[in-house]
Amino acid sequence: MSRTIKRHPDAAWRKLDGQIVVVAPENGTLHLFNSTAGFLWEQLENERNEHELSQALCSEFETAAETARIDVAEFISEMIEKKVIESV
Amino acid sequence: MQKIYSIDMEIAGICVRFSGITEECRNIMEKRYGAFLSGEPDYEFTLNWTEKDNPALSWDVTMETREDCWLFYRRDFCAEWCPSTGKGCAVVDASEYTLDTMLRVWFSTILLENIGGLIHSAGFARNDKGYLFIGKSGSGKSTLSGARGDSDLLSDELVAVKKVADGYLVYGTPFMGELGIGGKNIGVPLDRFFMVDHEPPSGRFPINQAEAASELWGTMMCFDRRSHRLKSIMDFCTEMATALPCERFSFDLTQNLWDWMEQ
């Protein structure tokens, strides 16, 4: 089942030189995102489910659907662990 | 009966009156912070200089907020500070190192309230311009400070930076590292900053703004982890990384620092 994801409401973030920088609110750790993670983060301006994120990734980077699905799943797992996004 | 004194101390334009201090504490403060003991106090802090060791607490500093006051403490000191009244009090173990740690924590926190911060860096003033060489412990800040040539030392450990209308000001502090010398009590416009790396190859290398902000973040002294504070520090770091030139700097001390910088 496709989870719906949103940014942690207290996660501070900025875009510098095209690169997304995010601070995890619970431990104050700063994360520098690569282009894929940065793109997905920007997609989360509104709540999105995994399927929507995968489709957006496919369109943006012209990647295979299965590759995008894996990348999105990894992004979500990692960012939930870092507490910068959360399941709705 | 023991005589009690007060001392006014100013760093980066922030002046606090420490009251209730003993002669021993006063002597230590005059010796260690002499160049910074002046100013018109904006705040007041009562110090209880005594035996303080609570083994139930760790040596790491903890900061909590309670109503509108901060509490910060570790094994050898505890302090309370109320920003709304500008007053606080602390129980500090009778050691200059404990006092120095408490002062670093307090000044770093109050600077954050004033759009600034204490940054782990070596700072120099030369020709009315400030230069910061930022790095964590072991990055070579003190070594670099020893080779500062014809510039004024702002600190080899913790330099104060404040954002102002037309840029950033960098101030000397008495907080010293391995060099064992406090900084000069001056403030100058910050011209640029460098991320220090003592690994070869030596040289100056470009660094993008996101990396600069990220590394700046890692060297800002901060114990206040509230989300609005984290956001304001992030603003400070990203704006400074955007506004000022920054490079990675790996040094070669066989040359004069400033000759090499001008190459």
Side-chain angles (χ1 to χ4, degrees):
Chain A
M1 181 158 169
S2 184
R3 288 173 290 180
T4 299
I5 304 300
K6 67 173 187 176
R7 293 176 187 157
H8 190 299
D10 291 327
W13 70 280
R14 298 289 179 275
K15 191 173 186 178
L16 288 175
D17 275 349
Q19 194 167 6
I20 300 289
V21 184
V22 181
V23 173
E26 294 196 16
N27 58 15
T29 306
L30 184 143
H31 304 286
L32 271 181
F33 283 5
N34 63 22
S35 58
T36 304
F39 172 77
L40 293 172
W41 178 263
E42 290 195 299
Q43 295 302 302
L44 289 172
E45 187 172 356
N46 298 305
E47 292 176 5
R48 291 273 187 272
N49 64 38
E50 286 185 78
H51 182 64
E52 290 169 330
L53 289 172
S54 297
Q55 283 189 321
L57 201 59
C58 276
S59 302
E60 179 71 13
F61 293 99
E62 296 179 358
T63 52
E66 180 59 13
T67 306
R69 189 190 66 75
I70 292 169
D71 285 350
V72 167
E74 285 178 354
F75 169 80
I76 290 173
S77 299
E78 195 178 333
M79 295 306 138
I80 285 179
E81 191 180 321
K82 288 175 175 170
K83 298 183 177 173
V84 296
I85 64 171
E86 53 194 26
S87 294
V88 177
Chain B
M1 188 170 166
Q2 189 165 226
K3 199 169 176 187
I4 298 300
Y5 301 87
S6 66
I7 277 186
D8 298 337
M9 181 174 184
E10 183 173 19
I11 298 174
I14 292 169
C15 184
V16 57
R17 172 161 293 164
F18 291 101
S19 58
I21 60 178
T22 63
E23 185 170 5
E24 181 193 19
C25 181
R26 184 190 69 162
N27 292 340
I28 286 172
M29 291 184 79
E30 285 179 347
K31 181 179 163 202
R32 194 169 180 109
Y33 310 116
F36 293 82
L37 300 183
S38 61
E40 288 293 318
D42 310 299
Y43 306 112
E44 188 170 347
F45 221 102
T46 306
L47 283 184
N48 184 355
W49 178 258
T50 183
E51 295 271 316
K52 167 90 173 114
D53 181 19
N54 183 349
L57 297 176
S58 85
W59 288 105
D60 294 329
V61 176
T62 300
M63 176 170 267
E64 298 172 5
T65 51
R66 195 168 295 172
E67 296 177 355
D68 68 338
C69 293
W70 314 330
L71 300 177
F72 48 100
Y73 55 86
R74 69 174 197 182
R75 182 170 168 158
D76 55 346
F77 72 78
C78 66
E80 181 179 68
W81 171 252
C82 294
S84 59
T85 62
K87 292 185 177 175
C89 57
V91 180
V92 179
D93 188 45
S95 144
E96 68 176 289
Y97 302 105
T98 299
L99 176 65
D100 196 63
T101 303
M102 200 281 288
L103 292 177
R104 291 177 186 213
V105 174
W106 185 80
F107 270 105
S108 68
T109 309
I110 200 81
L111 268 166
L112 292 173
E113 300 266 318
N114 288 271
I115 321 176
L118 286 181
I119 299 176
H120 284 284
S121 56
F124 313 121
R126 188 170 189 252
N127 300 329
D128 293 322
K129 289 180 182 172
Y131 302 87
L132 280 191
F133 295 82
I134 296 173
K136 293 183 177 175
S137 295
S139 61
K141 298 188 297 294
S142 296
T143 307
L144 201 54
S145 298
R148 66 188 177 279
D150 61 343
S151 64
D152 290 320
L153 177 70
L154 299 173
S155 175
D156 72 324
E157 174 77 359
L158 278 172
V159 176
V161 176
K162 277 166 74 174
K163 189 178 179 205
V164 291
D166 56 349
Y168 293 81
L169 291 177
V170 57
Y171 296 87
T173 77
F175 303 126
M176 59 187 82
E178 288 175 16
L179 200 63
I181 305 170
K184 192 169 181 181
N185 187 5
I186 53 173
V188 291
L190 179 57
D191 188 72
R192 58 191 58 229
F193 63 102
F194 301 88
M195 297 302 174
V196 179
D197 184 353
H198 61 354
E199 296 295 324
S202 61
R204 292 163 58 180
F205 306 97
I207 178 171
N208 73 39
Q209 292 173 352
E211 285 177 297
S214 168
E215 294 188 31
L216 195 51
W217 171 275
T219 54
M220 291 276 292
M221 192 172 182
C222 173
F223 297 91
D224 184 352
R225 313 311 278 181
R226 290 174 293 172
S227 61
H228 77 276
R229 176 63 63 224
L230 296 178
K231 284 182 180 172
S232 71
I233 299 171
M234 179 167 217
D235 284 338
F236 182 87
C237 293
T238 54
E239 287 168 15
M240 186 167 147
T242 307
L244 294 174
C246 175
E247 291 174 296
R248 194 171 300 288
F249 179 97
S250 184
F251 54 88
D252 173 0
L253 295 181
T254 59
Q255 296 182 55
N256 178 288
L257 173 65
W258 302 104
D259 289 345
W260 196 56
M261 291 273 290
E262 283 159 14
Q263 281 175 17

